[in-house]
Amino acid sequence: MHSSIYPVLAAQTRLPFYLSGAGVSDPEYHVTRPEGLVSSQILFTRRGTGILRIDGRILPQTPGSLFFLTPGVPHEYYPESGEWETAWVVFRGAHIRETIAEMGFGAWHEKSGVDLSGCERIFSRIMSAAADPLSGGERCSMLVYEYLLEVRALLLCGNSREGGLTAPAVRFMDENFSRDITLEELAELCSVSVQHFCRVFRQQFSMRPMEYLALRRVSEAKRLLSSTDRSVTEIAAMTGYSTPTYFGTVFRRYEGVSPSVWRKLSPGS
């Protein structure tokens, strides 16, 4: 079974990240790209086995394998047994090379034996958002960034004790951002002290835990502002803010305008 979505690229090309394609290949094709892709690519194995050839290396791909490629990197991959199912995402963005480099990525990365449950969860949300031609572009932009953070944690530090330590807290924030969340609660989920949790989180994501939570809430608020008729007060409560005043203060910090003004200026308005 093959399932793919290639969004029409319009206003979202102005965003820092935008989805250029996503899909499931079952079985995966034999792909040869001597000049690489024009997009960045993330691909993980769901079932079966395959081979990735890159930089003179032969890297077996099995369930739990994941690779990331920047644009222009020559590569080849193909099924090893004929039964290789993959899930892939390709994305672009203005200044994306600089952004990816600042996040610690090199030209390409590959790792096997990682926990792909987070990737599966975000990938499913990307596919759902990509199917919406009206308001999916901005939602996909946020999800691509979230996906890249998940992949970064797995590829750059996912096998170390420190790298995987914050995963329960990130998952909890993603799934419970609408409720009140404390640092003590997040640290307890990771079975470490608050000080240690904050230190590792900042090393891994280059931001504080509460900043990640605020970004997650603002991203959801933008989705609701652009795709629903709910009031600002309702959206504040739905995204974890006790008062619309405080919600507006946080929103302006990241977006530069109030939620009401942003709604009027958004592409879907």
Side-chain angles (χ1 to χ4, degrees):
M1 178 194 74
H2 294 273
S3 173
S4 59
I5 300 175
Y6 294 96
V8 176
L9 302 182
Q12 67 264 41
T13 59
R14 298 192 295 268
L15 299 171
F17 297 91
Y18 62 90
L19 185 74
S20 50
V24 174
S25 296
D26 181 19
E28 180 57 85
Y29 301 101
H30 187 146
V31 174
T32 303
R33 298 188 179 109
E35 297 182 0
L37 271 171
V38 296
S39 300
S40 295
Q41 180 182 28
I42 296 168
L43 183 149
F44 67 84
T45 296
R46 281 180 160 177
R47 180 177 57 85
T49 58
I51 296 293
L52 169 66
R53 290 179 176 268
I54 189 166
D55 272 355
R57 301 178 63 183
I58 298 176
L59 302 171
Q61 303 297 292
T62 59
S65 294
L66 167 73
F67 66 79
F68 167 77
L69 307 174
T70 55
V73 176
H75 62 275
E76 177 185 11
Y77 54 83
Y78 51 86
E80 186 178 39
S81 63
E83 298 292 331
W84 187 29
E85 179 184 353
T86 68
W88 52 270
V89 168
V90 287
F91 59 95
R92 305 177 193 173
H95 314 298
I96 195 166
R97 288 183 184 274
E98 297 90 338
T99 303
I100 287 174
E102 289 175 358
M103 294 176 72
F105 286 103
W108 64 273
H109 298 270
E110 186 274 348
K111 188 172 285 188
S112 294
V114 298
D115 179 3
L116 292 171
S117 58
C119 287
E120 284 281 11
R121 185 178 68 254
I122 302 169
F123 176 80
S124 176
R125 292 160 62 198
I126 288 174
M127 291 294 285
S128 176
D132 180 358
L134 296 178
S135 57
E138 184 166 300
R139 179 70 172 159
C140 282
S141 176
M142 184 274 291
L143 288 170
V144 165
Y145 182 61
E146 185 178 342
Y147 197 44
L148 195 55
L149 287 176
E150 175 72 15
V151 168
R152 178 180 180 270
L154 293 172
L155 291 179
L156 303 188
C157 46
N159 278 353
S160 69
R161 179 182 178 278
E162 298 282 276
L165 182 147
T166 60
V170 172
R171 187 177 306 114
F172 185 81
M173 286 188 281
D174 286 343
E175 296 173 356
N176 299 277
F177 58 81
S178 61
R179 51 158 291 189
D180 186 39
I181 296 175
T182 66
L183 280 174
E184 289 75 14
E185 191 174 15
L186 297 174
E188 185 176 350
L189 284 169
C190 301
S191 302
V192 295
S193 69
V194 171
Q195 293 77 13
H196 186 65
F197 169 72
C198 290
R199 179 181 64 81
V200 173
F201 195 99
R202 192 175 182 87
Q203 287 176 346
Q204 188 173 349
F205 296 107
S206 299
M207 67 177 74
R208 298 181 300 275
M210 292 299 104
E211 184 178 359
Y212 176 88
L213 180 59
L215 288 169
R216 182 69 182 83
R217 286 170 168 171
V218 169
S219 293
E220 178 65 11
K222 289 167 66 177
R223 184 187 73 82
L224 292 168
L225 286 165
S226 63
S227 63
T228 75
D229 294 324
R230 293 182 180 274
S231 69
V232 171
T233 299
E234 287 179 297
I235 292 174
M238 292 172 69
T239 52
Y241 293 101
S242 57
T243 68
T245 301
Y246 182 49
F247 167 58
T249 299
V250 175
F251 194 94
R252 279 190 293 272
R253 184 189 308 157
Y254 290 103
E255 297 300 320
V257 295
S258 70
S260 298
V261 171
W262 190 91
R263 170 176 265 168
K264 293 177 183 178
L265 298 175
S266 68
S269 62

